[in-house]
Amino acid sequence: ILAIYLGLRAFGSAAGSALVATGRPRIHTWAWVAGYVVALTCLAFEYKNPSLNGVVWCLTGGIATVYLFLLLATAKLMPPTRTQLMVLGRRALGGVATIAVMGACRFLPLVDWGQLAVAASLGAPVHLFLMSKILGGHPFSISGIKEMIKKI
């Protein structure tokens, strides 16, 4: 659930900032209104038999609404070029692949804390490796990491 939230936040925050910077803060406000409506509606259904997992999904649904609203509004008002879409797609694919690797740790035959420890220890190196392949750097050298940072 956290990976979904963080993935959406990575793109949604940038989109929201772009809208505010270009003088469209009302769109940002309406995105948050929509997110609160979704989250509160979901929580109303969850109210009779609340569970931690259900509440977290309700809140994630609300924030997903905010960030998707911002992404769609930004794409409509400031359409990206084909080159920008290709770059975004490659980077998003790297993020999704990292999420998949970390999510797969949930199925390891370990207790929850063990699964979390494995996912946390694999996440950064896997992501660094994937992003280096996408950006054309060398993940395990200082010069390669500096090269990747320049491309970001």
Side-chain angles (χ1 to χ4, degrees):
I1 298 172
L2 181 61
I4 293 168
Y5 162 73
L6 291 173
L8 289 169
R9 187 184 77 174
F11 293 107
S13 293
S17 296
L19 289 172
V20 172
T22 58
R24 297 177 175 107
R26 287 186 181 167
I27 295 171
H28 201 269
T29 302
W30 283 109
W32 278 97
V33 169
Y36 278 117
V37 168
V38 168
L40 292 174
T41 302
C42 182
L43 288 170
F45 284 108
E46 184 71 18
Y47 181 73
K48 290 184 182 181
N49 296 316
S51 69
L52 178 61
N53 200 27
V55 170
V56 170
W57 273 114
C58 290
L59 297 176
T60 302
I63 202 66
T65 302
V66 172
Y67 290 138
L68 290 173
F69 190 107
L70 292 172
L71 279 169
L72 293 173
T74 303
K76 177 73 175 163
L77 296 170
M78 296 179 271
T81 64
R82 182 171 174 78
T83 304
Q84 291 169 331
L85 284 175
M86 295 298 289
V87 169
L88 178 65
R90 284 193 304 269
R91 291 178 182 180
L93 183 61
V96 168
T98 303
I99 290 168
V101 167
M102 293 178 73
C105 292
R106 181 72 177 131
F107 301 104
L108 292 173
L110 301 170
V111 296
D112 289 345
W113 287 105
Q115 294 170 351
L116 178 61
V118 171
S121 62
L122 282 179
V126 166
H127 191 68
L128 182 62
F129 177 77
L130 290 171
M131 287 297 114
S132 71
K133 292 300 177 189
I134 290 168
L135 297 174
H138 303 285
F140 304 113
S141 70
I142 299 298
S143 62
I145 291 172
K146 286 180 181 178
E147 182 182 327
M148 285 190 305
I149 290 171
K150 286 179 187 176
K151 291 182 179 180
I152 294 174

